[in-house]
Amino acid sequence: LTIKLIGGHIFVIDPLGAVIGNEALNVSQATSPTGQLFTGQVPSDSRVYIVGNIPSADQATIAALGSFSAIQAATSLMTTQTDYDEAALANSDGAPASITVNASNNTATVNVSIKPLISRMELVQVKGGTSIKAFDVTGVYVDDYYPSFNYAGGYSGTIVSNNQGTTFGGLGDASTWSATDAVTPGTFIADPQTAGNGEVWAYQVASGALPRFIIELDNIEYEDALNNTVTLSGKHYLTVKSYTSLGSATFERGKIYRIGAANGITFDENDITITPNQ
């Protein structure tokens, strides 16, 4: 997925971490072969930190920050990150980039690699095991997530954890677990063995954490040990709270996690519960 750079801000930072120069990022200049020209004089040991795609409500605040530590600590709400292809960006390694001085003409250049400050999680496929005969996926939600991200590439705020309650005030439909998610670009309509139509249920999340997927199911039918078909009434839930092949203990910034992409999340009647997070 290619992230589109809409705009941003350039910070020139001295060795002690103070911002000694800054200006708005001119995307057409910065992405040209010659790059964006900064005409101010700065010490040769200065470094550069770029923040891209700053949410409009936070642009003035971010632009006025006076130190690298203040930039790192600055936050924006995750609700500003509606499109991952226009995600907030900053230096890829989280550190200001060193400049290279050309002593012959007293100029300096710097090349900065940037990447998203946030992560994205996608639920790709849900499958019923051999005993499952039918089911509908009627909602997909995220739990154990942080409401904000910071410009160092981590999370901020108090974690949202809904525990085992029947109400839900977070990502997904507000106020109730039992409503079908209206945010994502597609829904899963079940046949006896699989649910998924080539689209995904997707959410942007703050990196550095490990959110959960809560999958809401309805109209479940399964075959018991006596080969009888059992129909379960009401909503039931799958709670996905850990992930194989993650590569790290938490979600990393700039990465998209496609949950169930290879083989699907496969469940049977023993995996479901009547409330989430059991």
Side-chain angles (χ1 to χ4, degrees):
L1 178 64
T2 300
I3 309 299
K4 183 178 181 180
L5 179 61
I6 305 299
H9 211 78
I10 301 172
F11 296 92
V12 181
I13 298 167
D14 73 11
L16 297 179
V19 173
I20 55 175
N22 65 61
E23 65 178 43
L25 176 67
N26 184 311
V27 175
S28 61
Q29 287 184 18
T31 56
S32 70
T34 56
Q36 182 170 347
L37 180 64
F38 185 89
T39 57
Q41 294 185 350
V42 296
S44 60
D45 54 1
S46 302
R47 301 165 298 155
V48 172
Y49 196 74
I50 291 178
V51 178
N53 297 348
I54 304 168
S56 57
D58 301 322
Q59 286 179 6
T61 299
I62 299 296
L65 295 173
S67 68
F68 180 54
S69 59
I71 297 168
Q72 290 178 299
T75 64
S76 289
L77 292 171
M78 283 303 308
T79 52
T80 64
Q81 303 298 289
T82 55
D83 297 316
Y84 191 76
D85 56 1
E86 295 181 4
L89 306 157
N91 289 33
S92 296
D93 61 0
S98 300
I99 63 177
T100 301
V101 177
N102 186 333
S104 64
N105 59 11
N106 202 31
T107 63
T109 59
V110 59
N111 294 312
V112 182
S113 172
I114 56 179
K115 71 178 182 181
L117 288 160
I118 62 172
S119 307
R120 176 178 170 92
M121 55 195 303
E122 299 178 351
L123 179 62
V124 179
Q125 187 175 204
V126 180
K127 292 182 177 179
T130 55
S131 63
I132 301 296
K133 299 304 178 183
F135 68 97
D136 293 324
V137 176
T138 53
V140 177
Y141 310 88
V142 176
D143 202 16
D144 278 19
Y145 68 93
Y146 286 89
S148 301
F149 68 95
N150 62 43
Y151 286 83
Y155 58 81
S156 184
T158 302
I159 193 170
V160 177
S161 296
N162 289 272
N163 301 314
Q164 295 183 22
T166 57
T167 59
F168 182 62
L171 299 179
D173 280 352
S175 77
T176 177
W177 289 101
S178 60
T180 301
D181 177 19
V183 177
T184 54
T187 57
F188 288 149
I189 307 300
D191 65 35
Q193 290 300 317
T194 185
N197 60 1
E199 297 180 306
V200 298
W201 300 75
Y203 295 97
Q204 277 68 261
V205 292
S207 59
L210 198 65
R212 298 180 176 186
F213 260 134
I214 306 295
I215 304 166
E216 181 188 82
L217 306 171
D218 201 356
N219 302 315
I220 302 170
E221 295 181 1
Y222 71 93
E223 189 175 87
D224 67 14
L226 298 177
N227 297 323
N228 297 315
T229 297
V230 179
T231 300
L232 298 178
S233 62
K235 308 290 186 181
H236 287 72
Y237 298 89
L238 286 172
T239 301
V240 182
K241 64 179 182 177
S242 62
Y243 309 92
T244 60
S245 305
L246 188 62
S248 64
T250 60
F251 286 172
E252 297 180 45
R253 59 173 287 203
K255 291 191 175 182
I256 298 173
Y257 295 90
R258 295 177 59 81
I259 313 303
N263 301 308
I265 293 177
T266 303
F267 73 97
D268 62 27
E269 64 274 15
N270 298 311
D271 297 317
I272 57 179
T273 56
I274 59 174
T275 60
N277 290 317
Q278 288 185 255

